[in-house]
Coordinates of all heavy atoms in Angstrom, one line a residue:
M1 N -61.1 -74.5 -16.5 CA -61.0 -73.2 -16.9 C -62.1 -72.4 -16.4 O -61.8 -71.3 -15.8 CB -61.0 -73.1 -18.4 CG -61.0 -71.7 -19.0 SD -59.3 -71.2 -19.2 CE -59.5 -69.8 -20.2
V2 N -63.3 -72.9 -16.4 CA -64.5 -72.1 -15.8 C -64.3 -71.9 -14.3 O -64.5 -70.9 -13.8 CB -65.8 -72.9 -16.1 CG1 -66.9 -72.2 -15.4 CG2 -66.1 -72.9 -17.6
A3 N -63.8 -73.0 -13.7 CA -63.5 -72.9 -12.2 C -62.6 -71.8 -11.9 O -62.8 -71.0 -10.9 CB -63.1 -74.2 -11.7
V4 N -61.5 -71.6 -12.7 CA -60.5 -70.7 -12.3 C -61.1 -69.2 -12.6 O -60.8 -68.4 -11.8 CB -59.2 -70.9 -13.3 CG1 -58.3 -69.7 -13.1 CG2 -58.5 -72.2 -12.9
L5 N -61.9 -69.1 -13.6 CA -62.5 -67.8 -13.9 C -63.4 -67.4 -12.7 O -63.5 -66.3 -12.3 CB -63.2 -67.8 -15.2 CG -62.4 -67.9 -16.5 CD1 -63.2 -68.1 -17.7 CD2 -61.4 -66.8 -16.6
L6 N -64.2 -68.3 -12.2 CA -65.1 -68.1 -11.1 C -64.3 -67.7 -9.9 O -64.7 -66.8 -9.1 CB -65.9 -69.4 -10.8 CG -67.0 -69.7 -11.8 CD1 -67.6 -71.1 -11.5 CD2 -68.1 -68.6 -11.8
L7 N -63.2 -68.4 -9.6 CA -62.4 -68.1 -8.5 C -61.7 -66.7 -8.6 O -61.4 -66.0 -7.6 CB -61.3 -69.1 -8.2 CG -61.9 -70.5 -7.7 CD1 -60.8 -71.5 -7.7 CD2 -62.5 -70.4 -6.3
L8 N -61.4 -66.3 -9.8 CA -60.8 -64.9 -10.1 C -61.8 -63.9 -9.7 O -61.3 -62.8 -9.2 CB -60.4 -64.8 -11.5 CG -59.1 -65.4 -12.0 CD1 -59.0 -65.3 -13.5 CD2 -57.9 -64.8 -11.3
K9 N -63.0 -64.1 -9.8 CA -64.0 -63.1 -9.5 C -64.4 -63.0 -8.0 O -65.2 -62.1 -7.7 CB -65.3 -63.3 -10.4 CG -65.1 -63.1 -11.8 CD -66.4 -63.3 -12.6 CE -66.2 -63.1 -14.1 NZ -67.5 -63.2 -14.8
T10 N -64.0 -63.9 -7.3 CA -64.4 -64.0 -5.9 C -63.1 -64.1 -4.9 O -62.0 -64.3 -5.4 CB -65.2 -65.3 -5.6 OG1 -64.5 -66.4 -5.8 CG2 -66.4 -65.3 -6.5
E11 N -63.4 -64.0 -3.7 CA -62.4 -64.3 -2.6 C -62.1 -65.7 -2.4 O -61.3 -66.1 -1.7 CB -62.7 -63.5 -1.3 CG -62.8 -62.0 -1.5 CD -61.4 -61.5 -1.6 OE1 -60.4 -61.9 -0.9 OE2 -61.3 -60.5 -2.4
G12 N -62.9 -66.6 -3.1 CA -62.8 -68.0 -2.9 C -64.2 -68.6 -2.9 O -65.2 -67.8 -2.7
M13 N -64.3 -69.9 -2.9 CA -65.6 -70.6 -2.9 C -65.5 -71.9 -2.2 O -64.3 -72.4 -2.1 CB -66.1 -70.8 -4.3 CG -66.2 -69.7 -5.2 SD -66.7 -70.1 -6.8 CE -68.5 -70.2 -6.7
T14 N -66.5 -72.4 -1.7 CA -66.5 -73.7 -1.1 C -66.6 -74.7 -2.3 O -66.9 -74.4 -3.4 CB -67.7 -74.0 -0.2 OG1 -68.9 -74.0 -1.0 CG2 -67.8 -73.0 1.0
A15 N -66.2 -75.9 -2.0 CA -66.2 -77.0 -3.1 C -67.6 -77.1 -3.6 O -67.9 -77.4 -4.7 CB -65.6 -78.3 -2.5
K16 N -68.6 -77.1 -2.6 CA -70.0 -77.2 -3.0 C -70.4 -76.1 -3.9 O -71.1 -76.4 -4.9 CB -70.8 -77.2 -1.7 CG -72.3 -77.6 -1.9 CD -73.1 -77.5 -0.7 CE -72.7 -78.6 0.3 NZ -73.6 -78.7 1.5
Q17 N -70.1 -74.9 -3.7 CA -70.4 -73.8 -4.5 C -69.7 -73.9 -5.9 O -70.4 -73.6 -6.9 CB -70.0 -72.4 -3.9 CG -70.8 -72.1 -2.6 CD -70.1 -70.9 -1.9 OE1 -68.9 -70.7 -1.9 NE2 -70.9 -70.0 -1.3
L18 N -68.5 -74.3 -5.8 CA -67.8 -74.5 -7.2 C -68.4 -75.6 -8.0 O -68.5 -75.5 -9.2 CB -66.3 -74.7 -6.8 CG -65.3 -74.5 -7.9 CD1 -65.4 -73.2 -8.6 CD2 -63.9 -74.8 -7.4
K19 N -68.7 -76.7 -7.3 CA -69.4 -77.8 -8.0 C -70.7 -77.4 -8.7 O -71.0 -77.7 -9.8 CB -69.6 -79.0 -7.1 CG -70.2 -80.1 -7.7 CD -70.5 -81.3 -6.8 CE -71.2 -82.4 -7.5 NZ -71.6 -83.4 -6.6
K20 N -71.5 -76.6 -8.0 CA -72.8 -76.2 -8.4 C -72.6 -75.2 -9.6 O -73.3 -75.3 -10.6 CB -73.6 -75.5 -7.3 CG -74.9 -75.1 -7.7 CD -75.7 -74.5 -6.6 CE -77.1 -74.1 -7.0 NZ -77.9 -73.5 -5.9
A21 N -71.6 -74.2 -9.5 CA -71.4 -73.3 -10.5 C -70.9 -73.8 -11.8 O -71.2 -73.4 -12.9 CB -70.5 -72.2 -10.0
T22 N -70.0 -74.9 -11.6 CA -69.3 -75.5 -12.8 C -70.1 -76.6 -13.4 O -69.9 -77.1 -14.6 CB -67.9 -76.0 -12.5 OG1 -68.0 -76.9 -11.5 CG2 -67.0 -74.7 -12.1
K23 N -71.0 -77.2 -12.6 CA -71.8 -78.3 -13.0 C -71.0 -79.6 -13.3 O -71.3 -80.4 -14.1 CB -72.7 -78.0 -14.2 CG -73.7 -77.0 -13.9 CD -74.6 -76.6 -15.1 CE -75.5 -75.5 -14.6 NZ -76.0 -74.7 -15.7
L24 N -69.8 -79.6 -12.6 CA -68.9 -80.8 -12.7 C -69.3 -81.9 -11.7 O -69.9 -81.6 -10.6 CB -67.5 -80.4 -12.4 CG -66.8 -79.5 -13.4 CD1 -65.5 -79.0 -12.9 CD2 -66.7 -80.2 -14.7
V25 N -69.0 -83.1 -12.0 CA -69.2 -84.2 -11.1 C -68.1 -84.2 -10.2 O -67.0 -83.6 -10.4 CB -69.4 -85.6 -11.8 CG1 -70.6 -85.7 -12.6 CG2 -68.2 -85.9 -12.6
D26 N -68.2 -84.8 -8.9 CA -67.2 -84.8 -7.9 C -65.8 -85.2 -8.5 O -64.8 -84.5 -8.2 CB -67.5 -85.7 -6.8 CG -68.6 -85.2 -5.8 OD1 -68.8 -83.9 -5.9 OD2 -69.1 -85.9 -5.0
K27 N -65.8 -86.3 -9.2 CA -64.5 -86.8 -9.8 C -63.8 -85.7 -10.6 O -62.6 -85.5 -10.4 CB -64.8 -88.0 -10.6 CG -63.6 -88.7 -11.2 CD -64.0 -89.9 -12.0 CE -63.1 -90.0 -13.2 NZ -63.5 -91.0 -14.2
D28 N -64.4 -85.1 -11.5 CA -63.9 -84.1 -12.4 C -63.4 -82.9 -11.6 O -62.3 -82.3 -11.8 CB -64.8 -83.7 -13.5 CG -65.0 -84.9 -14.5 OD1 -64.2 -85.8 -14.5 OD2 -66.0 -84.8 -15.2
L29 N -64.3 -82.4 -10.7 CA -63.9 -81.2 -9.9 C -62.7 -81.5 -9.1 O -61.8 -80.7 -9.1 CB -65.1 -80.9 -8.9 CG -64.8 -79.7 -8.0 CD1 -64.6 -78.5 -8.7 CD2 -65.9 -79.6 -7.0
F30 N -62.6 -82.6 -8.3 CA -61.4 -82.9 -7.5 C -60.2 -83.2 -8.3 O -59.1 -83.0 -7.8 CB -61.8 -83.9 -6.4 CG -62.8 -83.3 -5.4 CD1 -64.1 -83.8 -5.3 CD2 -62.4 -82.3 -4.6 CE1 -65.0 -83.2 -4.4 CE2 -63.2 -81.8 -3.6 CZ -64.5 -82.2 -3.6
L31 N -60.3 -83.8 -9.5 CA -59.2 -84.0 -10.3 C -58.5 -82.7 -10.7 O -57.4 -82.5 -10.7 CB -59.5 -84.9 -11.6 CG -59.7 -86.3 -11.5 CD1 -60.3 -87.0 -12.7 CD2 -58.3 -86.9 -11.2
G32 N -59.4 -81.7 -11.1 CA -59.0 -80.4 -11.5 C -58.3 -79.7 -10.3 O -57.2 -79.0 -10.5
L33 N -59.0 -79.8 -9.2 CA -58.4 -79.1 -8.0 C -57.1 -79.7 -7.6 O -56.2 -79.0 -7.2 CB -59.4 -79.2 -6.8 CG -60.6 -78.3 -6.9 CD1 -61.6 -78.6 -5.7 CD2 -60.2 -76.9 -7.0
G34 N -57.0 -81.0 -7.7 CA -55.8 -81.7 -7.4 C -54.6 -81.2 -8.3 O -53.5 -81.0 -7.8
W35 N -54.9 -81.0 -9.6 CA -53.9 -80.6 -10.5 C -53.5 -79.1 -10.1 O -52.3 -78.8 -10.0 CB -54.5 -80.5 -11.9 CG -53.5 -80.1 -12.9 CD1 -53.2 -78.8 -13.3 CD2 -52.6 -80.9 -13.7 NE1 -52.3 -78.7 -14.2 CE2 -51.9 -80.1 -14.5 CE3 -52.4 -82.3 -13.8 CZ2 -50.9 -80.5 -15.4 CZ3 -51.5 -82.8 -14.7 CH2 -50.7 -81.9 -15.5
L36 N -54.5 -78.3 -9.8 CA -54.2 -76.9 -9.5 C -53.4 -76.8 -8.1 O -52.5 -76.0 -7.9 CB -55.4 -76.1 -9.4 CG -56.1 -75.8 -10.7 CD1 -57.5 -75.2 -10.5 CD2 -55.3 -74.9 -11.6
L37 N -53.7 -77.7 -7.2 CA -53.0 -77.8 -5.9 C -51.5 -78.2 -6.2 O -50.6 -77.6 -5.6 CB -53.6 -78.7 -5.0 CG -54.8 -78.2 -4.2 CD1 -55.6 -79.4 -3.6 CD2 -54.4 -77.3 -3.1
R38 N -51.3 -79.2 -6.9 CA -50.0 -79.6 -7.3 C -49.1 -78.5 -7.9 O -47.9 -78.4 -7.7 CB -50.0 -80.8 -8.2 CG -48.7 -81.5 -8.4 CD -48.8 -82.7 -9.3 NE -47.5 -83.1 -9.7 CZ -47.1 -84.3 -9.7 NH1 -48.0 -85.3 -9.6 NH2 -45.8 -84.6 -10.1
E39 N -49.7 -77.7 -8.7 CA -49.1 -76.6 -9.4 C -49.0 -75.3 -8.5 O -48.5 -74.3 -9.0 CB -49.8 -76.3 -10.7 CG -49.8 -77.4 -11.7 CD -48.4 -77.7 -12.3 OE1 -47.7 -76.7 -12.5 OE2 -48.0 -78.9 -12.5
D40 N -49.5 -75.4 -7.3 CA -49.5 -74.3 -6.4 C -50.3 -73.1 -6.9 O -49.9 -72.0 -6.8 CB -48.1 -73.8 -6.0 CG -47.4 -74.8 -5.1 OD1 -48.1 -75.6 -4.3 OD2 -46.1 -75.0 -5.2
K41 N -51.4 -73.4 -7.6 CA -52.3 -72.3 -8.1 C -53.5 -72.0 -7.2 O -54.0 -70.9 -7.3 CB -52.8 -72.7 -9.5 CG -51.7 -73.1 -10.5 CD -50.9 -71.9 -10.8 CE -49.9 -72.2 -11.9 NZ -48.9 -71.2 -12.2
V42 N -53.8 -72.9 -6.4 CA -54.9 -72.7 -5.4 C -54.5 -73.2 -4.0 O -53.6 -73.9 -3.9 CB -56.2 -73.5 -5.8 CG1 -56.8 -73.0 -7.1 CG2 -56.0 -75.0 -5.8
S43 N -55.3 -72.7 -3.0 CA -55.1 -73.1 -1.7 C -56.4 -73.6 -1.2 O -57.5 -73.2 -1.6 CB -54.6 -72.0 -0.8 OG -55.5 -71.0 -0.6
V44 N -56.4 -74.7 -0.4 CA -57.6 -75.2 0.2 C -57.4 -75.3 1.7 O -56.4 -75.7 2.2 CB -57.8 -76.7 -0.4 CG1 -59.0 -77.3 0.2 CG2 -57.9 -76.7 -1.9
E45 N -58.5 -74.9 2.4 CA -58.5 -75.0 3.8 C -59.9 -75.5 4.2 O -60.9 -75.2 3.5 CB -58.1 -73.7 4.5 CG -59.0 -72.5 4.1 CD -58.4 -71.2 4.7 OE1 -57.5 -70.7 4.0 OE2 -58.8 -70.9 5.8
E46 N -60.0 -76.0 5.4 CA -61.4 -76.4 5.9 C -61.9 -75.3 6.8 O -61.3 -74.8 7.7 CB -61.2 -77.7 6.7 CG -62.6 -78.3 7.1 CD -62.4 -79.6 7.8 OE1 -61.4 -80.2 7.7 OE2 -63.4 -80.0 8.4
V47 N -63.1 -74.8 6.4 CA -63.8 -73.8 7.1 C -65.2 -74.3 7.4 O -66.0 -74.6 6.6 CB -63.9 -72.5 6.2 CG1 -64.7 -71.4 7.0 CG2 -62.5 -72.0 5.9
E48 N -65.5 -74.4 8.7 CA -66.8 -74.8 9.2 C -67.2 -76.2 8.6 O -68.3 -76.4 8.2 CB -67.9 -73.8 9.0 CG -67.6 -72.5 9.8 CD -68.6 -71.5 9.5 OE1 -69.7 -71.7 8.9 OE2 -68.4 -70.3 9.9
G49 N -66.2 -77.1 8.5 CA -66.5 -78.4 8.0 C -66.6 -78.5 6.4 O -66.9 -79.6 5.9
E50 N -66.3 -77.5 5.7 CA -66.3 -77.5 4.3 C -65.0 -77.1 3.7 O -64.3 -76.2 4.3 CB -67.4 -76.6 3.7 CG -68.8 -77.1 4.0 CD -69.9 -76.5 3.1 OE1 -69.6 -76.5 1.9 OE2 -70.9 -76.1 3.6
L51 N -64.7 -77.6 2.5 CA -63.4 -77.2 1.8 C -63.7 -75.8 1.2 O -64.6 -75.5 0.5 CB -63.1 -78.2 0.7 CG -62.6 -79.5 1.2 CD1 -62.3 -80.4 0.0 CD2 -61.4 -79.4 2.1
F52 N -62.8 -74.9 1.5 CA -62.8 -73.5 0.9 C -61.6 -73.4 0.0 O -60.5 -73.6 0.4 CB -62.7 -72.5 2.1 CG -63.0 -71.1 1.6 CD1 -64.3 -70.7 1.3 CD2 -62.0 -70.2 1.4 CE1 -64.6 -69.4 0.8 CE2 -62.2 -69.0 0.9 CZ -63.5 -68.5 0.7
I53 N -61.8 -73.0 -1.2 CA -60.8 -73.0 -2.3 C -60.6 -71.5 -2.7 O -61.6 -70.8 -3.0 CB -61.2 -73.8 -3.5 CG1 -61.4 -75.2 -3.0 CG2 -60.2 -73.7 -4.6 CD1 -62.7 -75.8 -3.5
K54 N -59.4 -71.1 -2.8 CA -59.1 -69.8 -3.4 C -57.8 -69.8 -4.2 O -56.9 -70.6 -3.9 CB -59.0 -68.7 -2.2 CG -58.0 -68.9 -1.2 CD -58.1 -67.9 -0.1 CE -57.2 -68.2 1.0 NZ -57.3 -67.2 2.1
L55 N -57.7 -68.9 -5.1 CA -56.5 -68.8 -6.0 C -55.4 -68.2 -5.1 O -55.6 -67.4 -4.3 CB -56.8 -67.9 -7.2 CG -57.7 -68.5 -8.3 CD1 -57.9 -67.5 -9.3 CD2 -57.1 -69.8 -8.8
I56 N -54.2 -68.6 -5.5 CA -53.0 -68.0 -4.8 C -52.5 -66.9 -5.6 O -52.4 -66.9 -6.8 CB -51.9 -69.2 -4.6 CG1 -52.4 -70.2 -3.7 CG2 -50.6 -68.6 -4.1 CD1 -51.5 -71.4 -3.5

């Protein structure tokens, strides 16, 4: 939930920024992102070697 609210306020974030802002461990962050990807709620692309996540 916190991750979605953060993404609503921005044009998107890197996975590293999102992890730091939410204070989630990698496993929990990527489980949540996987769920949102499956539901077509977020898009993920690689930008300069980092994952960039934004809401659809």
Side-chain angles (χ1 to χ4, degrees):
M1 176 86 164
V2 173
V4 172
L5 293 174
L6 287 169
L7 289 171
L8 280 172
K9 294 182 177 184
T10 66
E11 292 292 320
M13 302 176 87
T14 65
K16 188 183 294 186
Q17 291 170 326
L18 197 53
K19 180 181 174 187
K20 184 176 180 180
T22 60
K23 298 179 181 158
L24 293 171
V25 295
D26 283 344
K27 179 180 143 189
D28 293 337
L29 176 65
F30 290 111
L31 280 171
L33 286 176
W35 182 276
L36 292 170
L37 279 164
R38 184 178 173 143
E39 297 291 320
D40 292 325
K41 303 294 183 190
V42 296
S43 68
V44 176
E45 58 187 89
E46 189 173 344
V47 177
E48 297 178 12
E50 293 202 43
L51 290 178
F52 189 77
I53 301 131
K54 59 183 172 181
L55 289 177
I56 296 176

